[in-house]
């Protein structure tokens, strides 16, 4: 064991254990705030992005603990040793020519110095100043001017800290933000992993270790999403929760608003349509708004005006001392309902068929870092494809991506980072408690999004293990308690007769790769095996089924006739075999098909992966393979069959 010290400011110095000389183990997370409203500029709030170049240093000491032992957070990072420029947001792995950084495991350090506006420091009263990270992978500790302000476990959800008191105690307007991030995965993280030390000194250097994972995508690390400073008044709107119902010509928007800092003197709400017209008003922290002749939120290709969003403006006044403070926050609201029967998925009472994709936050150079050009390109490709949905495989995506799903009408199965849960120890109480906390963070962030039509708590766990029954019963029940308005699932690749988690889901999501991982090269087995898969699952559970993954690798430009594995023709042929079965079963109880994958993506190196996973219908650079055109023809055909739009939709009539 090795010892490392962390802490700062008035909190004093704490000694904590590093195990196995890599991951800082802390006795508990900082108390989670009740609300996590997405930062927005409003009449009472300011928002400042801190993207760009940050100073960066990897801790290359044998125990990865020099940064804590030497307290790098106490002074500018450049004074502790050599630093390099690192773009934020971005993964750090592919930015340099240093191969040791490409596969680095352990602590890395980031730093940014920011000059703050005087009004943020000397207002009367001074505003509340919050530092927020969209995500950083995986474990983060943050200091401001040498004072620890927050620590967070998890690589895919936002975390923040009120830094007002730290700034008010600083001598000047300079705000030095220092972040230590550790990408080590253990059997109890989400996703899980393990560290393996190689003890054979004849084959490996001293202290040599590798990070083992049970998932098939690269464990990119760094500050992946925007870092922002934002302000609120000292008394402020902390959280808003909305749920919607509709019937005939009236919709109801139920709401609950929480306020922090003082009892609100007044709290008023106004719901505006897209033309800015007020269509409903209400007062008080809990209540409902009635909307006559509402414009419902519809998925893409299900309505001529998909993704319709109202704006809910919440205004608060509160007396704090001698000051009357005002806070304003505007929340996009989509009015829609979701309901699941034994054979259908209904949105606004109409059957919805998922014809979409699985994706990854993944691209050249930036890794999992948020990139606006890439995001917009992907949405243009989704709409060109005729896709109406995707799953956030296998972790929550950036808020910026979810915003566009809301606005464009892309239905989302919102998935937690519960991928690779394979080891028995990952089903224990320690893992379970962390999984419950992650679901709380995910629901808190995305609960108001109309695009989110279902939660997925995991992907391909070892759900055939006996402990999986209690584990998934607990996680799913907890998620339903947090949000009773949406169905909950997880994605299985287990045998239907052995799966201990399936009894608790609302929709069966099943992955299968017939003629690829099973009977490779034998396309002729697909009709029999896929049909049996669907019939066995439905007979056992009487629940609607989504084919949540299927596909084949194809190397762009590799051709073969007759079709052979890895050729573009084989990928096309496999899709067509699956589609013929889908067409029979979607008339009964199959409610969706999600191709694996939207685009090629990076994985760990291995003998079965040539620069990543090639199951994309687009290349990693977003160029179409032949399979993309097969899928496009199919998705537009399905859209035309199910559409009630006059005239019949064409692939050029909407958004193209």
């Amino acid at each position: 064991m090795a010892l490392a010290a962390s802490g700062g400011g008035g909190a004093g110095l704490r000694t904590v254990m590093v195990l196995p000389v890599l991951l800082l183990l802390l006795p508990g997370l900082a108390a989670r705030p009740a609300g996590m409203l997405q930062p927005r500029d409003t009449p009472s709030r300011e928002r400042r992005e801190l993207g760009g170049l940050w100073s960066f240093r990897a801790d290359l000491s044998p125990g990865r603990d020099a940064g804590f032992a030497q307290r790098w957070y106490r002074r500018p990072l450049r004074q502790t040793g050599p630093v390099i420029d690192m773009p934020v947001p971005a993964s750090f792995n592919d930015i340099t020519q240093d191969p040791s950084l490409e596969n680095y495991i352990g602590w890395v350090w980031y730093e940014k110095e920011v000059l703050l506006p005087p009004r943020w420091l000397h207002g009367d009263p001074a505003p509340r100043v919050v530092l927020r990270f969209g995500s950083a992978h995986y474990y983060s500790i943050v200091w401001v001017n040498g004072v620890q302000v927050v620590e967070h476990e998890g690589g895919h959800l936002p975390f923040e800290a009120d830094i007002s008191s730290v700034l008010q105690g600083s001598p000047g307007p300079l705000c030095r933000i220092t972040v230590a991030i550790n990408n080590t995965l253990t059997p109890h993280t989400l996703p899980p992993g393990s560290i393996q030390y190689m003890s054979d000194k004849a084959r490996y250097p001293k202290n040599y270790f590798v990070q083992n994972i049970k998932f098939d995508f690269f464990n990119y690390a760094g500050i992946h999403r925007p870092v922002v400073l934002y302000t609120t008044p000292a008394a402020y709107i902390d959280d808003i929760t909305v749920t919607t119902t509709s019937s005939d010509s009236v919709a109801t928007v139920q709401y609950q608003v929480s306020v922090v800092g003082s009892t609100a003197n007044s709290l008023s709400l106004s719901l505006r349509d897209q033309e800015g017209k007020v269509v409903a008003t209400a007062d008080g922290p809990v209540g409902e708004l009635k909307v006559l002749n509402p414009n419902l939120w519809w998925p893409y290709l299900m309505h001529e005006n998909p993704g319709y969003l109202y704006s809910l403006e919440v205004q608060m006044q509160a007396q704090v001392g001698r000051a009357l403070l005002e806070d304003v926050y505007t929340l996009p609201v989509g009015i829609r309902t979701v309901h699941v029967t034994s054979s259908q998925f209904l949105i606004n009472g109409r059957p919805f068929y998922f014809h979409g994709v699985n994706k990854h936050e993944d691209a050249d150079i930036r890794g999992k870092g948020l990139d606006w050009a890439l995001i917009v390109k992907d949405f243009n490709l989704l709409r060109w494809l005729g896709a109406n949905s995707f799953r956030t495989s296998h972790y929550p995506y950036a808020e910026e991506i979810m915003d566009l799903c809301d606005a464009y009408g892309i239905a989302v199965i919102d998935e937690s980072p519960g991928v690779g849960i394979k080891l028995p120890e990952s089903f224990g109480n320690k893992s379970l408690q962390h999984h419950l906390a992650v679901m709380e963070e995910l629901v808190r962030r995305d609960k108001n999004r109309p695009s989110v039509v279902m939660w997925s708590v995991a992907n391909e766990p070892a759900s055939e293990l006996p402990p999986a029954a209690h584990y998934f019963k607990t996680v799913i029940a907890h998620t339903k308690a947090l949000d009773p308005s949406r169905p909950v699932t997880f994605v299985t690749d287990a045998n239907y007769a052995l799966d201990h988690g399936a009894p608790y889901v609302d929709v069966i999501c099943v992955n299968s790769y017939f003629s690829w991982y099973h009977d490779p090269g034998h396309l002729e087995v697909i009709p029999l095996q896929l049909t049996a898969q669907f019939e066995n699952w439905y007979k056992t559970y009487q629940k609607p089924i989504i084919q949540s993954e299927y596909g084949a690798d194809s190397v762009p430009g590799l051709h073969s006739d007759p079709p052979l594995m890895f050729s573009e023709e084989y990928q096309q042929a496999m899709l067509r075999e699956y589609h013929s079965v889908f067409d029979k079963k979607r008339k009964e109880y199959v409610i969706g098909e999600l191709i694996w994958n939207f685009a090629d993506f990076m994985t760990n190196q291995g003998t079965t992966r040539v620069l990543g996973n090639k199951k994309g219908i687009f290349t990693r650079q977003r160029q179409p393979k032949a399979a993309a055109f097969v899928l496009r023809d199919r998705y537009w055909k399905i859209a035309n069959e199910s559409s009630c739009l006059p005239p019949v939709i064409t692939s050029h009539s909407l958004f193209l």
Side-chain angles (χ1 to χ4, degrees):
M1 300 295 181
L3 293 178
S6 76
L13 192 67
R14 283 190 292 140
T15 301
V16 293
M17 189 171 294
V18 177
L19 178 68
V21 296
L22 286 173
L23 182 65
L24 187 67
L25 298 179
L26 298 165
L29 296 176
R32 294 181 180 85
M36 188 66 81
L37 293 174
Q38 190 172 350
R40 303 183 189 279
D41 285 304
T42 77
S44 60
R45 299 176 177 223
E46 292 185 74
R47 179 181 184 274
R48 181 175 177 183
E49 286 207 19
L50 304 183
L53 296 182
W54 289 48
S55 295
F56 176 90
R57 184 180 181 187
D59 188 340
L60 299 174
S61 63
R64 303 292 201 258
D65 58 353
F68 295 100
Q70 300 169 18
R71 303 182 183 183
W72 289 356
Y73 50 86
R74 286 291 182 90
R75 51 186 173 145
L77 193 60
R78 61 184 178 275
Q79 295 179 9
T80 69
V83 297
I84 62 174
D85 288 335
M86 186 61 65
V88 171
S91 303
F92 63 73
N93 307 81
D94 295 346
I95 298 297
T96 75
Q97 301 308 109
D98 184 352
S100 67
L101 199 60
E102 173 73 25
N103 296 294
Y104 178 87
I105 302 294
W107 290 102
V108 299
W109 293 70
Y110 286 78
E111 186 177 85
K112 182 82 166 180
E113 294 181 335
V114 183
L115 286 173
L116 299 181
R119 62 184 178 277
W120 286 19
L121 305 173
H122 308 298
D124 186 20
R128 171 176 170 263
V129 181
V130 181
L131 173 63
R132 179 185 176 107
F133 290 77
S135 75
H137 189 74
Y138 174 78
Y139 200 110
S140 304
I141 307 175
V142 183
W143 297 262
V144 172
N145 296 339
V147 178
Q148 184 175 325
V149 295
V150 68
E151 56 196 47
H152 181 260
E153 180 179 359
H156 309 90
L157 289 163
F159 57 97
E160 62 183 30
D162 182 341
I163 63 172
S164 309
S165 60
V166 176
L167 296 178
Q168 290 164 10
S170 300
L174 185 66
C175 174
R176 179 168 53 85
I177 302 167
T178 309
V179 191
I181 302 172
N182 194 315
N183 63 341
T184 308
L185 301 177
T186 76
H188 308 296
T189 57
L190 279 184
S194 62
I195 295 295
Q196 180 181 3
Y197 279 90
M198 305 302 189
S199 57
D200 187 345
K201 296 181 180 179
R203 300 178 63 194
Y204 302 101
K206 184 180 179 180
N207 296 324
Y208 188 83
F209 64 88
V210 294
Q211 169 81 76
N212 292 323
I213 55 177
K214 299 291 186 181
F215 53 86
D216 188 31
F217 56 92
F218 193 78
N219 187 37
Y220 278 114
I223 302 176
H224 285 153
R225 296 174 190 162
V227 183
V228 301
L229 286 166
Y230 72 92
T231 66
T232 73
Y236 59 95
I237 299 163
D238 179 59
D239 195 25
I240 306 169
T241 302
V242 298
T243 56
T244 64
T245 58
S246 62
S247 60
D248 297 329
S249 59
V250 180
T252 301
V253 178
Q254 296 178 312
Y255 70 86
Q256 182 171 346
V257 180
S258 63
V259 173
V260 170
S262 177
T263 302
N265 291 10
S266 68
L267 189 67
S268 62
L269 299 90
S270 300
L271 189 70
R272 298 177 183 271
D273 63 19
Q274 290 188 349
E275 285 70 47
K277 178 184 176 182
V278 175
V279 297
T281 61
D283 295 293
V286 180
E288 59 184 35
L289 301 103
K290 295 290 186 180
V291 184
L292 299 178
N293 301 314
N295 291 296
L296 300 183
W297 186 95
W298 289 99
Y300 177 52
L301 301 180
M302 204 172 178
H303 190 271
E304 61 187 357
N305 188 13
Y308 192 96
L309 295 174
Y310 291 85
S311 296
L312 179 64
E313 184 179 84
V314 183
Q315 295 183 312
M316 179 210 76
Q317 287 188 336
Q319 191 77 37
V320 179
R322 299 169 64 180
L324 181 64
L325 302 181
E326 295 184 340
D327 192 20
V328 180
Y329 189 86
T330 301
L331 178 75
V333 172
I335 298 174
R336 64 105 183 94
T337 59
V338 173
H339 181 64
V340 175
T341 73
S342 63
S343 60
Q344 291 182 315
F345 195 99
L346 304 175
I347 295 181
N348 300 329
R350 284 177 48 193
F352 177 73
Y353 186 78
F354 294 81
H355 46 91
V357 302
N358 294 277
K359 293 181 88 277
H360 265 299
E361 290 181 315
D362 172 278
D364 290 326
I365 302 176
R366 65 197 52 80
K368 291 193 179 302
L370 182 134
D371 182 283
W372 272 114
L374 185 75
I375 291 171
V376 174
K377 178 66 174 178
D378 282 1
F379 275 92
N380 283 331
L381 289 174
L382 286 171
R383 295 187 295 180
W384 172 87
L385 194 64
N388 63 7
S389 55
F390 66 74
R391 174 167 64 115
T392 69
S393 48
H394 301 296
Y395 38 81
Y397 290 176
E399 290 166 290
E400 292 79 359
I401 293 174
M402 304 300 286
D403 286 343
L404 290 187
C405 292
D406 289 339
Y408 292 167
I410 302 297
V412 177
I413 301 173
D414 205 354
E415 189 161 272
S416 86
V419 57
I421 306 176
K422 301 292 189 181
L423 301 175
E425 58 191 305
S426 295
F427 288 93
N429 190 60
K430 184 175 181 179
S431 296
L432 176 59
Q433 293 305 311
H434 178 51
H435 203 147
L436 297 178
V438 169
M439 294 311 300
E440 290 173 11
E441 292 186 14
L442 176 57
V443 172
R444 180 180 64 193
R445 192 195 74 166
D446 290 345
K447 62 186 175 182
N448 295 321
R449 296 189 176 277
S451 61
V452 176
V453 297
M454 184 158 56
W455 305 110
S456 171
V457 301
N459 177 77
E460 295 186 357
S463 51
E464 71 280 0
L465 297 178
H470 170 72
Y471 189 95
F472 285 109
K473 179 180 180 180
T474 304
V475 174
I476 291 171
H478 185 64
T479 305
K480 284 180 172 291
L482 293 168
D483 176 24
S485 71
R486 292 178 177 87
V488 181
T489 189
F490 76 91
V491 176
T492 183
D493 64 348
N495 182 284
Y496 76 97
L498 303 176
D499 195 307
H500 292 287
Y504 308 106
V505 302
D506 297 303
V507 174
I508 300 291
C509 288
V510 59
N511 296 347
S512 58
Y513 290 89
F514 304 124
S515 84
W516 190 260
Y517 294 124
H518 312 284
D519 300 296
H522 292 279
L523 294 166
E524 65 274 12
V525 306
I526 293 175
L528 178 64
Q529 294 183 4
L530 185 59
T531 299
Q533 167 198 277
F534 287 141
E535 292 178 351
N536 287 331
W537 278 104
Y538 193 74
K539 181 179 179 181
T540 303
Y541 290 105
Q542 298 292 303
K543 297 176 182 179
I545 301 171
I546 296 175
Q547 182 72 40
S548 42
E549 287 183 26
Y550 71 104
D553 287 75
S554 67
V555 177
L558 182 64
H559 298 288
S560 174
D561 186 27
L564 298 179
M565 292 179 70
F566 293 97
S567 69
E568 292 198 49
E569 286 76 15
Y570 192 90
Q571 188 181 38
Q572 287 179 297
M574 173 184 275
L575 265 58
R576 290 189 174 109
E577 292 290 348
Y578 267 80
H579 295 165
S580 65
V581 179
F582 294 163
D583 283 339
K584 296 174 183 176
K585 295 302 179 183
R586 67 187 174 96
K587 299 174 183 177
E588 302 175 41
Y589 47 75
V590 170
I591 61 168
E593 55 191 77
L594 304 177
I595 188 72
W596 188 267
N597 191 282
F598 173 75
D600 295 345
F601 56 92
M602 188 52 64
T603 64
N604 277 356
Q605 297 182 71
T607 54
T608 61
R609 295 285 177 252
V610 182
L611 290 179
N613 190 307
K614 296 293 193 293
K615 290 190 180 67
I617 59 169
F618 298 100
T619 67
R620 203 179 187 209
Q621 294 73 36
R622 275 46 180 186
Q623 296 304 311
K625 301 178 189 178
F629 296 94
V630 172
L631 211 62
R632 182 176 190 252
D633 288 345
R634 174 173 179 77
Y635 284 178
W636 282 103
K637 179 182 177 183
I638 292 173
N640 280 320
E641 291 174 355
S642 60
S643 173
C644 62
L645 299 184
V648 175
I649 313 169
T650 71
S651 60
H652 301 286
S653 62
L654 292 176
F655 308 110
L656 298 166

